[in-house]
């Protein structure tokens, strides 16, 4: 099978080879996206693709056991296997959220745990493709001195890890005091040049764009559409986990809006390859403090105004001027999409409520859960709909807001904490411990 792919401008259809260092269209400035030779992919029947992907899924033959590279033909066929930089990404738990579902009133609720991954977020799915392509280009003699990104934290962690594994220098630009300690220590531990800047994400973004343009450094941000190719496998994988049945709804948090675009691309390509014959509806959750897509949705996408993002605990989606807004709007139009927003109080309480049922959610997952609750209350999501919430990062990467919630210090920000669970401090004496336990059991049984 002769699979092929190239970059194609989403505005004017101009094309570029994948080995060219180009992020936006040279003739019109539009965003590029990876276009596969669909004719070649359609030579194999949908049924045969599914059984091929099933044979490879979660096995150990390199690199096809990876959730991303198991779908190599439709992800990035131009990378030689020996240049693939993989850490066995994908293959993440599709958590049956039985108790939370019953609590909400949605019986068939699932959480796709993309944070159960090498660096703790879905960013691994895209970064494996980008760094593999860089390794391929270097092996073909193209000079790439380093790879750089601006990040709200998770992208830099993924870039640092994959570059470290491939022995490629990496540079990350982070907004000072706006990311968690765990996120900061990841690129440092992996040996990245870690530059902390007194600005926000949008400010870091402007600088990294200029540096990469002027110094020939390869840019790993999400205008680089190679990452979308890896990220779209979340759609393929979750449908695969349902034995190739399409759910009714997929809910995903959105900041720069690359991930929702990736989700849609994966589903549309599966349909075009005959693997599925219906599409789910897609809902995007945004933090109220960083909600330009929500505002655009309220205006039927007739306008889009970038905003100055306010403070939000969902720090990975604190983005006022999303790069992939056009891609995202196209996706939402194709999937009868909706956008919801979450206040700070709503998102932390959604996390706390979900955690009580056995999850350990990051704040962005909380934003997606708020969208679920609101869409259910409005009657858009029906009690017997099959709903998948995409959890984008591991909760352990974002412990601070949970600590503050349970300590009770969020109350200072006017946030009530009905799910608060305070640690109980008692003297190390038998009777005191016994009293604390009996007291707690009594309260639980009420
Ligand atoms: C990057 C990220 C997002 C947002 O994805 P976009 O593609 O920017 O919309 C959401 N949650 C987490 C944890 C992330 O790291
Ligand atoms: Zn163009």
């Amino acid at each position: 099978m002769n699979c092929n792919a190239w970059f194609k401008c989403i505005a004017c259809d101009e094309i570029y080879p994948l080995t060219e260092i180009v992020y936006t269209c040279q003739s019109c400035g539009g965003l590029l996206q990876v276009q596969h030779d669909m004719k070649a992919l359609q030579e194999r029947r949908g049924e045969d693709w599914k059984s091929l992907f099933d044979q490879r899924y979660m096995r150990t033959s390199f690199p096809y056991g990876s959730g991303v590279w198991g779908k190599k033909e439709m992800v990035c066929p131009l990378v030689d296997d020996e240049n693939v930089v993989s850490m066995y990404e994908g293959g993440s738990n599709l958590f049956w959220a039985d108790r939370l579902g019953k609590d909400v009133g949605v019986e068939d609720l699932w959480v796709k745990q993309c944070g159960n991954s090498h660096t703790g977020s879905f960013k691994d799915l895209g970064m494996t493709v980008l760094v593999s392509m860089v390794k391929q280009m270097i092996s073909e003699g193209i000079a790439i001195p380093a790879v750089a990104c601006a990040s709200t934290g998770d992208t830099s962690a993924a870039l640092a890890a994959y570059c470290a594994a491939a022995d490629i220098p990496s540079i990350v630009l982070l907004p000072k005091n706006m990311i968690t300690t765990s996120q900061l220590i990841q690129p440092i531990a992996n040996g990245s040049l870690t530059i902390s800047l007194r600005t926000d994400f949008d400010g870091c973004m402007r600088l990294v764009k200029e540096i990469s343009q002027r110094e020939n450094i390869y840019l790993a941000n999400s205008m680089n559409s190679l990452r979308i190719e890896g990220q779209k496998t979340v759609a393929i994988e979750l449908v695969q986990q349902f034995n190739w049945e399409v759910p009714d709804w997929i809910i995903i948090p959105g900041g720069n809006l690359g991930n929702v675009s990736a989700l849609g691309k994966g589903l549309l390509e599966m349909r075009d390859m005959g693997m599925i014959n219906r599409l789910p509806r897609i809902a995007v959750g945004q933090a109220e403090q960083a909600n330009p897509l929500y505002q655009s949705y309220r205006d039927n996408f007739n306008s889009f105004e970038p905003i100055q993002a306010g403070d939000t605990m969902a720090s990975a989606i604190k983005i006022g001027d999303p790069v992939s807004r056009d891609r995202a709007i196209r996706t939402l139009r194709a999937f009868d999409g909706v956008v919801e927003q979450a206040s700070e109080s709503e998102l932390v309480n959604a996390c706390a409520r979900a955690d009580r049922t056995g999850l350990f959610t990051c704040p962005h997952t909380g934003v997606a859960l708020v969208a679920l609750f609101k869409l259910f209350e409005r009657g858009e999501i029906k009690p017997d709909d099959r709903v998948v919430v995409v959890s984008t990062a591991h909760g352990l990467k974002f412990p601070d807001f949970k600590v503050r919630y349970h300590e009770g210090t969020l109350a200072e920000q006017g946030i009530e904490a009905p799910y608060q669970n305070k640690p109980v401090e008692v003297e190390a004496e038998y009777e005191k411990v016994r009293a604390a336990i009996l007291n707690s059991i009594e309260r639980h049984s009420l």
Side-chain angles (χ1 to χ4, degrees):
M1 172 158 287
N2 244 335
C3 293
N4 198 0
W6 51 87
F7 289 126
K8 181 174 162 195
C9 173
I10 67 169
C12 78
D13 289 352
E14 182 118 333
I15 66 171
Y16 304 87
L18 289 190
T19 45
E20 192 165 323
I21 303 181
V22 56
Y23 316 106
T24 49
C25 179
Q26 311 275 281
S27 45
C28 82
L31 274 191
L32 302 180
Q33 90 172 0
V34 175
Q35 172 69 50
H36 291 268
D37 178 351
M38 291 309 286
K39 286 236 163 57
L41 289 170
Q42 282 158 346
E43 275 169 30
R44 192 180 260 141
R45 293 184 315 142
E47 287 308 308
D48 296 333
W49 279 118
K50 291 191 267 186
S51 57
L52 178 68
F53 293 165
D54 280 341
Q55 275 165 38
R56 294 169 173 170
Y57 189 59
M58 307 285 282
R59 302 298 175 90
T60 49
S61 61
F62 181 88
Y64 298 94
S66 149
V68 172
W69 296 101
K71 282 95 182 166
K72 187 180 177 194
E73 292 86 346
M74 60 184 294
V75 168
C76 196
L78 301 182
V79 175
D80 298 330
D81 284 358
E82 75 237 31
N83 286 324
V84 169
V85 184
S86 172
M87 299 189 182
Y88 209 62
E89 48 291 315
S92 60
N93 180 10
L94 186 57
F95 178 97
W96 186 17
D98 188 36
R99 185 174 164 204
L100 181 62
K102 288 201 171 98
D103 191 39
V104 176
V106 180
E107 291 281 319
D108 204 4
L109 177 64
W110 303 76
V111 179
K112 179 64 173 157
Q113 297 276 58
C114 298
N116 293 7
S117 180
H118 189 74
T119 70
S121 86
F122 76 83
K123 298 294 199 298
D124 291 348
L125 300 175
M127 210 50 86
T128 181
V129 177
L130 184 145
V131 174
S132 299
M133 199 64 210
V134 168
K135 194 173 173 198
Q136 177 75 27
M137 288 157 78
I138 291 172
S139 81
E140 291 176 13
I142 299 171
I144 298 177
V147 186
C149 76
S151 173
T152 52
D154 292 330
T155 299
S156 46
L159 179 68
Y162 282 86
C163 283
D167 196 12
I168 295 169
S170 63
I171 303 161
V172 306
L173 276 65
L174 298 164
K176 193 174 159 68
N177 300 332
M178 290 190 198
I179 60 166
T180 68
T181 313
S182 339
Q183 288 177 311
L184 177 65
I185 202 64
Q186 286 182 291
I188 287 176
N190 287 141
S192 260
L193 170 60
T194 306
I195 304 177
S196 176
L197 297 171
R198 241 171 276 112
T199 178
D200 60 4
F201 170 78
D202 297 311
C204 293
M205 193 61 228
R206 278 190 290 278
L207 276 164
V208 81
K209 266 185 175 169
E210 189 175 344
I211 290 274
S212 50
Q213 218 162 44
R214 293 170 63 167
E215 309 297 330
N216 199 33
I217 289 167
Y218 193 83
L219 185 59
N221 270 99
S222 70
M223 75 262 300
N224 186 322
S225 50
L226 288 166
R227 285 172 53 199
I228 301 277
E229 293 310 292
Q231 288 175 21
K232 80 184 181 190
T233 61
V234 69
I236 310 166
E237 180 170 294
L238 75 85
V239 173
Q240 179 176 25
Q241 285 171 307
F242 286 125
N243 268 323
W244 304 104
E245 268 179 42
V246 178
D248 298 302
W249 283 91
I250 301 177
I251 308 178
I252 190 165
N256 236 334
L257 306 177
N259 210 25
V260 58
S261 315
L263 179 71
K265 191 170 192 279
L267 289 160
L268 292 175
E269 288 174 358
M270 284 170 85
R271 185 194 59 187
D272 294 345
M273 287 164 66
M275 298 165 66
I276 56 173
N277 51 26
R278 60 181 282 257
L279 297 175
R281 292 187 66 188
I282 292 180
V284 175
Q286 289 213 297
E288 206 175 292
Q289 294 296 321
N291 66 355
L293 184 70
Y294 175 74
Q295 294 190 23
S296 170
Y297 168 72
R298 296 299 298 258
D299 187 30
N300 278 315
F301 300 126
N302 288 322
S303 62
F304 193 105
E305 295 296 328
I307 60 165
Q308 178 81 37
D311 261 340
T312 173
M313 287 177 263
S315 51
I317 55 175
K318 184 184 170 184
I319 294 170
D321 189 6
V323 170
S324 293
R325 63 182 187 207
D326 294 343
R327 288 198 271 233
I329 289 172
R330 280 188 188 202
T331 303
L332 289 170
R333 288 208 166 111
F335 288 83
D336 194 8
V338 291
V339 185
E340 260 303 343
Q341 65 173 357
S343 70
E344 294 304 288
S345 169
E346 286 169 337
L347 76 91
V348 291
N349 276 299
C351 285
R353 180 179 178 188
D355 289 359
R356 280 293 180 98
T357 68
L359 284 152
F360 194 75
T361 47
C362 78
H364 324 89
T365 306
V367 169
L369 287 169
V370 170
L372 164 69
F373 302 161
K374 290 185 172 175
L375 290 170
F376 180 73
E377 277 158 25
R378 276 219 309 271
E380 284 254 31
I381 291 182
K382 303 280 184 292
D384 55 356
D385 281 347
R386 171 169 283 178
V387 181
V388 180
V389 171
V390 177
S391 171
T392 46
H394 201 293
L396 286 173
K397 289 189 100 174
F398 300 87
D400 313 358
F401 84 103
K402 278 192 214 296
V403 171
R404 287 164 63 207
Y405 183 94
H406 290 290
E407 271 178 350
T409 46
L410 284 181
E412 291 155 17
Q413 284 169 240
I415 294 177
E416 283 184 46
Y419 303 97
Q420 182 184 18
N421 182 25
K422 270 197 188 158
V424 181
E425 217 172 287
V426 294
E427 300 298 320
E429 287 163 25
Y430 179 82
E431 282 306 329
K432 298 259 168 66
V433 174
R434 179 171 181 272
I437 291 171
L438 293 184
N439 183 14
S440 152
I441 291 173
E442 198 170 300
R443 270 187 298 139
H444 198 88
S445 60
L446 287 179

